[in-house]
Amino acid sequence: MAIDYGLITIKFVLGMVCLIFQINILGKGNLAPTSAIDQVQNYVLGEIIYNSDITVLQFVMVLLIWTLIVFVVKFAKEHNHVVQKVIDGQPRLLIKNGLKIT
């Protein structure tokens, strides 16, 4: 099975452009995952980029759908406290007044 580096390169470039677009629109500072959904996005895009069974057109459609999902989730998190808690979780107090909480 031959590896089509041209196809991988095209999908990689398209994926990077999409991520840069999302970073700029969402106001994030870098590509590093800051939430669980960011990490999932990295895994999904990585798998799709290197999967030779997925065409460039299919990849573009996945990017568009994923971008829409990211924007909907961001909007929901900003406007609904319950959605934010479900997606991001809640911080847990580990130390209080210099003492470890058990």
Side-chain angles (χ1 to χ4, degrees), residues 27-61:
K28 294 169 66 175
N30 56 41
L31 285 173
T34 56
S35 69
I37 199 161
D38 292 341
Q39 189 66 35
V40 170
Q41 178 178 7
N42 292 346
Y43 290 139
V44 169
L45 289 179
E47 177 61 31
I48 293 171
I49 286 171
Y50 296 108
N51 187 337
S52 60
D53 294 332
I54 296 175
T55 67
V56 172
L57 180 60
Q58 290 169 327
F59 182 67
V60 169
M61 293 304 298

Side-chain angles (χ1 to χ4, degrees), residues 12 15 18 20 27 29 31 37-38 41 46-47 52 54 56 60-61 63-64 69 73 78 80 84 90:
F12 179 78
C18 183
I20 291 168
L31 285 173
I37 199 161
D38 292 341
Q41 178 178 7
E47 177 61 31
S52 60
I54 296 175
V56 172
V60 169
M61 293 304 298
L63 285 177
L64 291 173
I69 290 170
V73 168
E78 289 176 352
N80 189 314
Q84 181 186 14
Q90 289 183 293

